């Protein structure tokens, strides 16, 4: 796989049982690139290791006054330099390719997992951790994959050179053969502590990232309640903890680096001291001493890769563990699509609650618990948080459909939709049936003032569709973001559209117009709206009231206000004392309040006034 071939047609199915298993799976899937990098690494390190032999031959030729051997040494040295240059160039190229392709594979896996899990991902893993895994952790995992082949080439080179020195000059070769393993293994006792400190640093950095993400997401609210300083102090403390942890980790790695510098120096001193004694006794030539000395000196370069692989593994292991944790998550209800791909049509029915949304109608759902309403909305879209009986669309269980088919049939817009940065045209460029024009969707969602605000805030954008939206739409108000998200959902034009509190941040007059626009644009399509707004409820074809997770009443909004006290309490925000007083007055007046049930009718009168204005 080359960089220009990315993305992968299929990144594969990862082994996410643990961090090391995931790294091993990634290595096996990058095997071609690893072998290529290993081959170039062997050429590079072998060329570097052959230079001392060439120098030794040249020195001995000069001592013996042999022009032929001196020319041979020069030719060998030139060949070694060419091999070094070519090997180093293509080693770097292949290593960086391994890094980028491994990181891209992990990012594709994370993207695919996020697409499969949908909104369930952030309920099971903190948003900050997802960001950390998809950015910094991906780079560290790629670093380990890239460093592994270079380390293997360096280790093979060290073994070959050591064996060669034992054959070439056994008296000095024994010293090198004993000293090099000591150099390679000397840092092992320090690695566990260094790894623990690196893990602590990663954990604290992850917490700081989560805190920063949460703070930025809630900045508008924090400013409104004056909580900026409080969260700033929290982030300052968290960042200082990260700094202290990073310093402690750096101290340990600096100690490891110092050991890697000190011990090779001691080995060089030992080789020179012993070699001089051997040369003085006439047991070795000067050229052989220079060859052995130069070999040991140059071997400190491949020995550095032992330190690098240790660092890469210690940093990538917790990153791989976090990535494996995310990749191991599965949908709560997923039968892997036992049915053929299709887009069913018909009534939407939930056996658990008894909720039924007739095909082609606008059904409003009232639930006293907002969290329960959100869970039910996700369940209707096939994203259930708990196992249970599947929701049926036209008698077809959504969980038995392929995920793409289920999501094509049912679209769920939650109460806090996300707007990505880009132009309005890009925001509305979503998979759709093509039956709904973006202009009609924007008009139905009452986005006229939003378009004007976007044009005013975008330099040189005469066409509102070319106006830019900032990250998460932060330059817009909550109501404006809601209406843009609603327009995006309307453009998609799914068979079933589920909206969770789509107008909670919109004023009453705009809300009445939005209700009318949605009803008109979605005519003939199934629409389910979770709301407690009388303006939306009065526009619905039928209203379903859920109490304690079960449907207890179905009918029109005005009918339910008069006949269902629990429904009236949710919709009109009637307190327990007011409900008891109203019930007593109705009982004393033949079931009829003297003022015609003031809470309910007052709300209906207000509704009629808004409708007339709209």
């Amino acid at each position: 796989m080359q960089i220009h071939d990315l993305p992968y047609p299929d990144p594969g199915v990862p082994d996410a049982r643990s961090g090391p298993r995931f790294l091993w799976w990634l290595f096996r899937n990058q095997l071609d690139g690893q072998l290529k990098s290993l081959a170039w690494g062997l050429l590079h390190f072998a060329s570097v290791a052959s230079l001392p032999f060439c120098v030794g031959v040249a020195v001995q030729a000069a001592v013996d006054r042999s022009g032929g051997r001196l020319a041979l040494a020069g030719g060998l040295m030139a060949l070694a330099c060419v091999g070094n240059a070519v090997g180093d160039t293509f080693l770097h190229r292949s290593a960086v390719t391994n890094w980028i392709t491994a990181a891209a594979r992990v990012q594709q896996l994370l993207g695919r997992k996020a697409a499969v899990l949908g909104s369930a991902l952030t309920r099971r893993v903190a948003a900050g951790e997802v960001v950390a895994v998809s950015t910094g952790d991906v780079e560290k995992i790629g670093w380990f994959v890239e460093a592994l082949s270079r380390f293997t080439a360096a280790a093979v080179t060290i073994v070959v050179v050591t064996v060669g020195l034992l054959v070439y000059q056994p008296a000095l070769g024994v010293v090198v053969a004993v000293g090099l393993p000591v150099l390679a293994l000397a840092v092992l006792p320090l690695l566990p502590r260094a790894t623990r400190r690196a893990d602590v640093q990663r954990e604290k950095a992850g917490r700081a990232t989560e805190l920063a993400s949460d703070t930025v997401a809630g900045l508008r609210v924090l400013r409104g309640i004056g909580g900026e300083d409080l969260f700033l102090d929290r982030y300052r403390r968290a960042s200082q903890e990260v700094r202290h942890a990073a310093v402690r980790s750096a101290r340990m790695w600096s100690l490891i680096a110092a050991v890697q510098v000190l011990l090779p120096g001691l080995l060089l001193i030992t080789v020179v001291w012993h070699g001089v004694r051997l040369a003085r006794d006439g047991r070795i030539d000067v050229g052989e001493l220079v060859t052995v000395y130069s070999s040991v000196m140059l071997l400190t370069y491949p020995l550095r890769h032992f330190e690098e692989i240790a660092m890469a593994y210690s940093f990538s292991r917790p990153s791989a563990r976090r990535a494996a944790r995310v990749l191991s998550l599965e949908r709560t209800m997923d039968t892997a699509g036992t049915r053929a791909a299709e887009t069913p049509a018909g009534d939407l029915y939930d056996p658990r609650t008894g909720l039924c949304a007739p095909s082609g109608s606008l059904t409003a759902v009232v639930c006293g618990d907002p969290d329960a309403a959100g869970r039910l909305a996700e369940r209707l879209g096939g994203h259930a948080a708990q196992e249970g009986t599947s929701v049926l669309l036209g008698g077809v269980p959504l969980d038995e459909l392929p995920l793409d088919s289920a999501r094509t049939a049912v679209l769920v817009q939650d109460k806090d939709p996300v707007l990505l940065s880009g132009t309005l045209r890009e925001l509305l460029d979503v998979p759709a049936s093509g039956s709904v024009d973006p202009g009609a969707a924007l008009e139905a969602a009452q986005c006229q003032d939003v378009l004007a605000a976007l044009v005013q805030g975008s330099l040189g954008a005469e066409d509102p569709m070319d106006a830019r939206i900032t990250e998460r739409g932060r330059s817009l108000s909550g109501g404006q973001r809601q209406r843009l998200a609603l327009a995006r959902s309307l453009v998609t034009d799914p068979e079933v559209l589920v909206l969770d509190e789509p107008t909670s941040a919109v004023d009453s007059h705009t809300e009445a117009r939005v209700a009318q626009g949605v009803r008109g644009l979605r005519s003939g399509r199934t629409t389910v709206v979770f709301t407690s707004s009388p303006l939306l409820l009065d526009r619905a074809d039928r209203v379903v009231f859920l109490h304690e997770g079960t449907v207890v009443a179905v009918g029109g909004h005005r009918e339910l206000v008069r006949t269902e006290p629990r429904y009236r309490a949710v919709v009109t925000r009637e307190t327990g004392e007011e409900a008891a007083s109203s019930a007593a007055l109705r009982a004393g007046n033949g079931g009829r309040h003297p003022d015609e049930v003031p809470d309910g009718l007052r709300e209906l009168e207000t509704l009629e006034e808004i409708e007339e204005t709209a």
Side-chain angles (χ1 to χ4, degrees), residues 324-346:
R325 179 178 172 234
V326 174
L327 294 174
S328 64
L329 298 175
E330 298 293 342
R331 283 166 48 86
T332 303
M333 299 174 63
D334 195 350
T335 59
T338 55
R339 289 177 176 265
E342 61 173 312
T343 304

PDB file of all heavy atoms in Angstrom, residues 324-346:
ATOM      1  N   ALA A 324      -8.017   0.140  20.978  1.00  0.00           N
ATOM      2  CA  ALA A 324      -8.671  -1.176  21.021  1.00  0.00           C
ATOM      3  C   ALA A 324      -9.970  -1.098  21.808  1.00  0.00           C
ATOM      4  O   ALA A 324     -10.958  -1.772  21.467  1.00  0.00           O
ATOM      5  CB  ALA A 324      -7.725  -2.204  21.635  1.00  0.00           C
ATOM      6  N   ARG A 325      -9.989  -0.287  22.863  1.00  0.00           N
ATOM      7  CA  ARG A 325     -11.217  -0.154  23.654  1.00  0.00           C
ATOM      8  C   ARG A 325     -12.338   0.432  22.805  1.00  0.00           C
ATOM      9  O   ARG A 325     -13.491  -0.032  22.862  1.00  0.00           O
ATOM     10  CB  ARG A 325     -10.952   0.743  24.859  1.00  0.00           C
ATOM     11  CG  ARG A 325     -12.192   0.968  25.727  1.00  0.00           C
ATOM     12  CD  ARG A 325     -11.884   1.808  26.939  1.00  0.00           C
ATOM     13  NE  ARG A 325     -13.112   2.147  27.636  1.00  0.00           N
ATOM     14  CZ  ARG A 325     -13.493   3.380  27.954  1.00  0.00           C
ATOM     15  NH1 ARG A 325     -12.737   4.392  27.621  1.00  0.00           N
ATOM     16  NH2 ARG A 325     -14.605   3.611  28.605  1.00  0.00           N
ATOM     17  N   VAL A 326     -12.029   1.453  22.015  1.00  0.00           N
ATOM     18  CA  VAL A 326     -13.052   2.048  21.159  1.00  0.00           C
ATOM     19  C   VAL A 326     -13.474   1.068  20.072  1.00  0.00           C
ATOM     20  O   VAL A 326     -14.660   0.890  19.789  1.00  0.00           O
ATOM     21  CB  VAL A 326     -12.536   3.356  20.535  1.00  0.00           C
ATOM     22  CG1 VAL A 326     -13.545   3.910  19.531  1.00  0.00           C
ATOM     23  CG2 VAL A 326     -12.267   4.392  21.620  1.00  0.00           C
ATOM     24  N   LEU A 327     -12.491   0.384  19.464  1.00  0.00           N
ATOM     25  CA  LEU A 327     -12.795  -0.521  18.356  1.00  0.00           C
ATOM     26  C   LEU A 327     -13.512  -1.779  18.812  1.00  0.00           C
ATOM     27  O   LEU A 327     -14.117  -2.479  17.991  1.00  0.00           O
ATOM     28  CB  LEU A 327     -11.499  -0.896  17.630  1.00  0.00           C
ATOM     29  CG  LEU A 327     -10.790   0.261  16.906  1.00  0.00           C
ATOM     30  CD1 LEU A 327      -9.458  -0.196  16.345  1.00  0.00           C
ATOM     31  CD2 LEU A 327     -11.667   0.827  15.799  1.00  0.00           C
ATOM     32  N   SER A 328     -13.440  -2.081  20.107  1.00  0.00           N
ATOM     33  CA  SER A 328     -14.116  -3.283  20.608  1.00  0.00           C
ATOM     34  C   SER A 328     -15.585  -3.043  20.909  1.00  0.00           C
ATOM     35  O   SER A 328     -16.330  -3.990  21.177  1.00  0.00           O
ATOM     36  CB  SER A 328     -13.414  -3.797  21.875  1.00  0.00           C
ATOM     37  OG  SER A 328     -13.520  -2.856  22.928  1.00  0.00           O
ATOM     38  N   LEU A 329     -16.028  -1.781  20.887  1.00  0.00           N
ATOM     39  CA  LEU A 329     -17.427  -1.478  21.175  1.00  0.00           C
ATOM     40  C   LEU A 329     -18.320  -2.013  20.063  1.00  0.00           C
ATOM     41  O   LEU A 329     -17.966  -1.960  18.879  1.00  0.00           O
ATOM     42  CB  LEU A 329     -17.629   0.039  21.316  1.00  0.00           C
ATOM     43  CG  LEU A 329     -16.866   0.730  22.453  1.00  0.00           C
ATOM     44  CD1 LEU A 329     -17.079   2.230  22.383  1.00  0.00           C
ATOM     45  CD2 LEU A 329     -17.302   0.187  23.800  1.00  0.00           C
ATOM     46  N   GLU A 330     -19.451  -2.526  20.441  1.00  0.00           N
ATOM     47  CA  GLU A 330     -20.409  -3.067  19.479  1.00  0.00           C
ATOM     48  C   GLU A 330     -21.778  -2.458  19.718  1.00  0.00           C
ATOM     49  O   GLU A 330     -22.082  -1.987  20.813  1.00  0.00           O
ATOM     50  CB  GLU A 330     -20.503  -4.596  19.589  1.00  0.00           C
ATOM     51  CG  GLU A 330     -19.208  -5.333  19.291  1.00  0.00           C
ATOM     52  CD  GLU A 330     -18.784  -5.221  17.843  1.00  0.00           C
ATOM     53  OE1 GLU A 330     -19.649  -4.863  17.000  1.00  0.00           O
ATOM     54  OE2 GLU A 330     -17.606  -5.475  17.538  1.00  0.00           O
ATOM     55  N   ARG A 331     -22.586  -2.446  18.669  1.00  0.00           N
ATOM     56  CA  ARG A 331     -23.974  -2.013  18.812  1.00  0.00           C
ATOM     57  C   ARG A 331     -24.709  -2.945  19.758  1.00  0.00           C
ATOM     58  O   ARG A 331     -24.483  -4.161  19.749  1.00  0.00           O
ATOM     59  CB  ARG A 331     -24.678  -2.025  17.453  1.00  0.00           C
ATOM     60  CG  ARG A 331     -24.311  -0.854  16.565  1.00  0.00           C
ATOM     61  CD  ARG A 331     -24.733  -1.067  15.130  1.00  0.00           C
ATOM     62  NE  ARG A 331     -26.097  -1.515  14.994  1.00  0.00           N
ATOM     63  CZ  ARG A 331     -27.165  -0.735  14.944  1.00  0.00           C
ATOM     64  NH1 ARG A 331     -27.008   0.567  15.041  1.00  0.00           N
ATOM     65  NH2 ARG A 331     -28.367  -1.227  14.786  1.00  0.00           N
ATOM     66  N   THR A 332     -25.574  -2.367  20.591  1.00  0.00           N
ATOM     67  CA  THR A 332     -26.310  -3.175  21.563  1.00  0.00           C
ATOM     68  C   THR A 332     -27.177  -4.216  20.874  1.00  0.00           C
ATOM     69  O   THR A 332     -27.244  -5.372  21.294  1.00  0.00           O
ATOM     70  CB  THR A 332     -27.194  -2.258  22.431  1.00  0.00           C
ATOM     71  OG1 THR A 332     -26.366  -1.269  23.053  1.00  0.00           O
ATOM     72  CG2 THR A 332     -27.896  -3.062  23.506  1.00  0.00           C
ATOM     73  N   MET A 333     -27.834  -3.806  19.807  1.00  0.00           N
ATOM     74  CA  MET A 333     -28.704  -4.728  19.059  1.00  0.00           C
ATOM     75  C   MET A 333     -28.238  -4.722  17.613  1.00  0.00           C
ATOM     76  O   MET A 333     -28.380  -3.728  16.910  1.00  0.00           O
ATOM     77  CB  MET A 333     -30.161  -4.286  19.157  1.00  0.00           C
ATOM     78  CG  MET A 333     -30.704  -4.264  20.574  1.00  0.00           C
ATOM     79  SD  MET A 333     -32.361  -3.573  20.668  1.00  0.00           S
ATOM     80  CE  MET A 333     -33.277  -4.760  19.698  1.00  0.00           C
ATOM     81  N   ASP A 334     -27.675  -5.826  17.159  1.00  0.00           N
ATOM     82  CA  ASP A 334     -27.152  -5.893  15.805  1.00  0.00           C
ATOM     83  C   ASP A 334     -27.139  -7.343  15.350  1.00  0.00           C
ATOM     84  O   ASP A 334     -26.381  -8.158  15.873  1.00  0.00           O
ATOM     85  CB  ASP A 334     -25.744  -5.305  15.751  1.00  0.00           C
ATOM     86  CG  ASP A 334     -25.304  -5.028  14.318  1.00  0.00           C
ATOM     87  OD1 ASP A 334     -26.003  -5.473  13.399  1.00  0.00           O
ATOM     88  OD2 ASP A 334     -24.272  -4.368  14.152  1.00  0.00           O
ATOM     89  N   THR A 335     -27.982  -7.684  14.411  1.00  0.00           N
ATOM     90  CA  THR A 335     -28.011  -9.053  13.900  1.00  0.00           C
ATOM     91  C   THR A 335     -27.232  -9.183  12.602  1.00  0.00           C
ATOM     92  O   THR A 335     -27.377 -10.150  11.875  1.00  0.00           O
ATOM     93  CB  THR A 335     -29.466  -9.488  13.654  1.00  0.00           C
ATOM     94  OG1 THR A 335     -30.061  -8.577  12.710  1.00  0.00           O
ATOM     95  CG2 THR A 335     -30.261  -9.477  14.937  1.00  0.00           C
ATOM     96  N   ALA A 336     -26.394  -8.175  12.310  1.00  0.00           N
ATOM     97  CA  ALA A 336     -25.519  -8.200  11.131  1.00  0.00           C
ATOM     98  C   ALA A 336     -26.308  -8.235   9.824  1.00  0.00           C
ATOM     99  O   ALA A 336     -25.804  -8.654   8.796  1.00  0.00           O
ATOM    100  CB  ALA A 336     -24.568  -9.381  11.200  1.00  0.00           C
ATOM    101  N   GLY A 337     -27.547  -7.766   9.855  1.00  0.00           N
ATOM    102  CA  GLY A 337     -28.322  -7.657   8.625  1.00  0.00           C
ATOM    103  C   GLY A 337     -28.690  -8.988   8.012  1.00  0.00           C
ATOM    104  O   GLY A 337     -28.218  -9.346   6.929  1.00  0.00           O
ATOM    105  N   THR A 338     -29.524  -9.755   8.701  1.00  0.00           N
ATOM    106  CA  THR A 338     -29.894 -11.073   8.183  1.00  0.00           C
ATOM    107  C   THR A 338     -30.845 -10.978   6.997  1.00  0.00           C
ATOM    108  O   THR A 338     -30.984 -11.928   6.243  1.00  0.00           O
ATOM    109  CB  THR A 338     -30.547 -11.904   9.295  1.00  0.00           C
ATOM    110  OG1 THR A 338     -31.660 -11.168   9.838  1.00  0.00           O
ATOM    111  CG2 THR A 338     -29.552 -12.183  10.416  1.00  0.00           C
ATOM    112  N   ARG A 339     -31.497  -9.820   6.834  1.00  0.00           N
ATOM    113  CA  ARG A 339     -32.388  -9.627   5.691  1.00  0.00           C
ATOM    114  C   ARG A 339     -31.639  -8.970   4.532  1.00  0.00           C
ATOM    115  O   ARG A 339     -30.592  -8.348   4.722  1.00  0.00           O
ATOM    116  CB  ARG A 339     -33.580  -8.743   6.074  1.00  0.00           C
ATOM    117  CG  ARG A 339     -34.594  -9.416   6.994  1.00  0.00           C
ATOM    118  CD  ARG A 339     -35.685  -8.439   7.374  1.00  0.00           C
ATOM    119  NE  ARG A 339     -36.712  -9.068   8.179  1.00  0.00           N
ATOM    120  CZ  ARG A 339     -37.851  -9.566   7.697  1.00  0.00           C
ATOM    121  NH1 ARG A 339     -38.096  -9.489   6.401  1.00  0.00           N
ATOM    122  NH2 ARG A 339     -38.728 -10.119   8.496  1.00  0.00           N
ATOM    123  N   ALA A 340     -32.197  -9.112   3.356  1.00  0.00           N
ATOM    124  CA  ALA A 340     -31.627  -8.446   2.194  1.00  0.00           C
ATOM    125  C   ALA A 340     -31.832  -6.937   2.319  1.00  0.00           C
ATOM    126  O   ALA A 340     -32.752  -6.464   2.996  1.00  0.00           O
ATOM    127  CB  ALA A 340     -32.283  -8.967   0.918  1.00  0.00           C
ATOM    128  N   ALA A 341     -30.958  -6.194   1.661  1.00  0.00           N
ATOM    129  CA  ALA A 341     -31.041  -4.735   1.720  1.00  0.00           C
ATOM    130  C   ALA A 341     -32.349  -4.265   1.077  1.00  0.00           C
ATOM    131  O   ALA A 341     -32.656  -4.615  -0.060  1.00  0.00           O
ATOM    132  CB  ALA A 341     -29.851  -4.121   1.011  1.00  0.00           C
ATOM    133  N   GLU A 342     -33.106  -3.477   1.833  1.00  0.00           N
ATOM    134  CA  GLU A 342     -34.360  -2.914   1.339  1.00  0.00           C
ATOM    135  C   GLU A 342     -34.704  -1.707   2.194  1.00  0.00           C
ATOM    136  O   GLU A 342     -34.153  -1.499   3.272  1.00  0.00           O
ATOM    137  CB  GLU A 342     -35.494  -3.939   1.417  1.00  0.00           C
ATOM    138  CG  GLU A 342     -35.784  -4.422   2.835  1.00  0.00           C
ATOM    139  CD  GLU A 342     -37.008  -5.309   2.907  1.00  0.00           C
ATOM    140  OE1 GLU A 342     -38.042  -4.908   2.336  1.00  0.00           O
ATOM    141  OE2 GLU A 342     -36.934  -6.391   3.521  1.00  0.00           O
ATOM    142  N   THR A 343     -35.590  -0.887   1.687  1.00  0.00           N
ATOM    143  CA  THR A 343     -36.082   0.257   2.449  1.00  0.00           C
ATOM    144  C   THR A 343     -37.562   0.040   2.696  1.00  0.00           C
ATOM    145  O   THR A 343     -38.413   0.358   1.835  1.00  0.00           O
ATOM    146  CB  THR A 343     -35.857   1.570   1.681  1.00  0.00           C
ATOM    147  OG1 THR A 343     -34.476   1.704   1.365  1.00  0.00           O
ATOM    148  CG2 THR A 343     -36.287   2.763   2.540  1.00  0.00           C
ATOM    149  N   PRO A 344     -37.928  -0.534   3.836  1.00  0.00           N
ATOM    150  CA  PRO A 344     -39.335  -0.856   4.101  1.00  0.00           C
ATOM    151  C   PRO A 344     -40.163   0.405   4.302  1.00  0.00           C
ATOM    152  O   PRO A 344     -39.645   1.485   4.590  1.00  0.00           O
ATOM    153  CB  PRO A 344     -39.263  -1.691   5.381  1.00  0.00           C
ATOM    154  CG  PRO A 344     -38.008  -1.248   6.051  1.00  0.00           C
ATOM    155  CD  PRO A 344     -37.051  -0.914   4.949  1.00  0.00           C
ATOM    156  N   ALA A 345     -41.436   0.269   4.143  1.00  0.00           N
ATOM    157  CA  ALA A 345     -42.385   1.366   4.354  1.00  0.00           C
ATOM    158  C   ALA A 345     -43.587   0.822   5.110  1.00  0.00           C
ATOM    159  O   ALA A 345     -43.875  -0.370   5.085  1.00  0.00           O
ATOM    160  CB  ALA A 345     -42.810   1.972   3.022  1.00  0.00           C
ATOM    161  N   GLY A 346     -44.255   1.717   5.811  1.00  0.00           N
ATOM    162  CA  GLY A 346     -45.427   1.316   6.575  1.00  0.00           C
ATOM    163  C   GLY A 346     -45.426   1.937   7.950  1.00  0.00           C
ATOM    164  O   GLY A 346     -44.697   2.902   8.222  1.00  0.00           O
TER     165      GLY A 346
END
